Amino acid sequence: MIRVSVMGAAGYLGGELLRLLIGHPGTEVTQAISTRFPGRRVDSVHPNLRAQTNLAFSAPDDLDDCDVLLTATPHRATMNLLPEVRRHAKTVIDLSGDFRLPDTSVYERYYGVPHTAPELLNDFVPGIPEIFRAELADADLISVPGCMATAAILALRPLTGLIEPDVQIDARTGSSGSGALAGDSNLHAERSGAMRVFAPVRHRHEAEVSRLTGLNARMAATGVEAVRGVQVVCHAKATADSGVVDEKTLRRAYREHYRDEPFVRIVAHRAGAHRLPDPKLLSGSNYCDVGFAADGGESAGGDHGGGRITAIAALDNLVKGGAGAAVQCLNIRTGQPETLGLEFPGLHPI
């Protein structure tokens, strides 16, 4: 049995980690660490875990030794905590943004502060099993990418060689992506019915997409009324030497790329209410649905649109976009079946 502890366990990602790990047949949750609620029962903060656990939150100073420590701490906290907590865990899986970018200048450009542990940046393996499965098997430091970054990366990776490097990403996210301590802008009265463009240019996840796809990604992000879920719509242009890229070509590329992936599904149907990826259907699941469209017609201005490609992906930001990806990485690192504890298919209707 793998002994795991969760640091930052009172937040939304921390609660999702506890939900998945408490029900995981190969792990024992030994501690749930919280700076806000030491001594309180876990199910007083995460009521969905009633009757699932008798755990109480521990203070950070009381961290015990474990096999795997998962850190769901706020951005800029993990980099300061890491030298100390590494003494208590062989493997650390971080869900913050602190170790997603190996270049300090890029990190400072997107996060606005200097990195306090730059010597560790290149030691982290990105927590995307679809790309780094072999490296994750031996990794003691793992950094799970951002939720919108994961969706965009999985949407775009099969298009390598088919599209020009400049890509525009339109990302939409539910309110849980702001975390349990979000400010006044996340109040129900402010969020309900809104479609708020909170990052019209240079969202920090675009740096992760550029790094892991080799593309020049530009991302705009909008907050929508949903609680859970991320959807990205990526706009690209076919390369000049790839000819007209139709949907048959795209389907072949996605099938070849993801034929052996347990948590990526191709959703691109010709008709129906659910013909393209929709995060609503993925709530609670570790799946990422990817889809596509190709424009073979003529635009209103008379230009031929055969070179325009749209790639779409959807996932639950708290699961495949965070806690689920972390557990998937944990399974790989500890030699357990990759899908263990992650088989929940989602709900419909919801």
Side-chain angles (χ1 to χ4, degrees):
M1 191 71 75
I2 306 299
R3 297 171 304 141
V4 301
S5 296
V6 176
M7 180 168 281
Y12 292 147
L13 276 175
E16 202 71 349
L17 284 168
L18 292 174
R19 177 181 74 85
L20 294 171
L21 293 167
I22 287 169
H24 191 292
T27 63
E28 176 190 1
V29 180
T30 57
Q31 283 186 297
I33 309 294
S34 171
T35 58
R36 293 183 290 149
F37 304 117
R40 282 182 56 175
R41 286 177 56 98
V42 163
D43 60 10
S44 70
V45 175
H46 302 301
N48 58 315
L49 299 180
R50 290 171 182 154
Q52 303 302 308
T53 180
N54 293 318
L55 270 177
F57 291 109
S58 302
D61 292 343
D62 296 328
L63 178 63
D64 295 328
D65 291 348
C66 59
D67 298 313
V68 180
L69 175 66
L70 299 105
T71 52
T73 46
H75 299 319
R76 300 189 293 277
T78 307
M79 68 175 84
N80 297 317
L81 292 167
L82 197 63
E84 173 63 22
V85 302
R86 284 194 76 190
R87 298 193 302 107
H88 297 281
K90 175 176 176 56
T91 300
V92 177
I93 302 176
D94 181 36
L95 286 83
S96 80
D98 288 6
F99 294 97
R100 294 171 180 167
L101 301 170
D103 186 304
T104 55
S105 63
V106 176
Y107 175 87
E108 291 178 18
R109 188 184 318 145
Y110 280 91
Y111 285 85
V113 295
H115 202 286
T116 60
E119 71 281 0
L120 294 174
L121 285 172
N122 286 297
D123 294 339
F124 276 79
V125 174
I128 299 189
E130 292 78 11
I131 305 174
F132 296 99
R133 185 170 282 108
E135 294 87 342
L136 288 167
D138 298 313
D140 285 332
L141 294 173
I142 297 168
S143 176
V144 176
C147 53
M148 292 184 287
T150 295
I153 291 162
L154 294 176
L156 291 167
R157 285 277 296 190
L159 302 180
T160 300
L162 293 175
I163 59 173
E164 296 288 348
D166 290 334
V167 176
Q168 180 64 47
I169 302 165
D170 176 15
R172 302 88 182 256
T173 181
S175 59
S176 61
S178 300
L181 296 177
D184 292 347
S185 63
N186 233 36
L187 293 172
H188 176 75
E190 299 295 336
R191 188 92 185 204
S192 180
M195 291 186 287
R196 184 176 299 120
V197 181
F198 64 89
V201 296
R202 213 172 75 172
H203 189 281
R204 59 181 55 153
H205 287 183
E206 76 181 21
E208 299 174 55
V209 179
S210 295
R211 174 196 174 197
L212 296 179
T213 63
L215 299 168
N216 179 29
R218 293 291 180 263
M219 179 182 285
T222 300
V224 297
E225 190 170 9
V227 174
R228 287 178 183 249
V230 157
Q231 183 187 65
V232 296
V233 181
C234 311
H235 303 284
K237 188 170 181 61
T239 59
D241 57 359
S242 61
V244 176
V245 178
D246 58 17
E247 294 192 0
K248 183 177 180 180
T249 303
L250 294 175
R251 189 176 299 276
R252 185 184 310 116
Y254 278 89
R255 281 179 172 169
E256 289 177 357
H257 203 86
Y258 291 129
R259 70 161 70 99
D260 297 322
E261 291 301 334
F263 291 116
V264 181
R265 305 184 300 194
I266 300 168
V267 179
H269 307 302
R270 293 184 179 275
H274 308 295
R275 64 191 186 93
L276 289 167
D278 182 345
K280 182 177 180 180
L281 304 178
L282 298 168
S283 185
S285 84
N286 194 54
Y287 289 98
C288 177
D289 287 352
V290 295
F292 49 82
D295 185 359
E298 205 172 77
S299 72
D303 296 327
H304 194 272
R308 295 197 324 181
I309 295 169
T310 300
I312 304 156
L315 49 74
D316 184 328
N317 56 296
L318 295 179
V319 190
K320 184 58 174 171
V327 173
Q328 193 177 348
C329 292
L330 180 152
N331 286 341
I332 295 168
R333 176 64 184 89
T334 58
Q336 301 181 87
E338 187 171 331
T339 60
L340 196 63
L342 296 170
E343 297 91 347
F344 180 67
L347 298 172
H348 179 259
I350 186 171

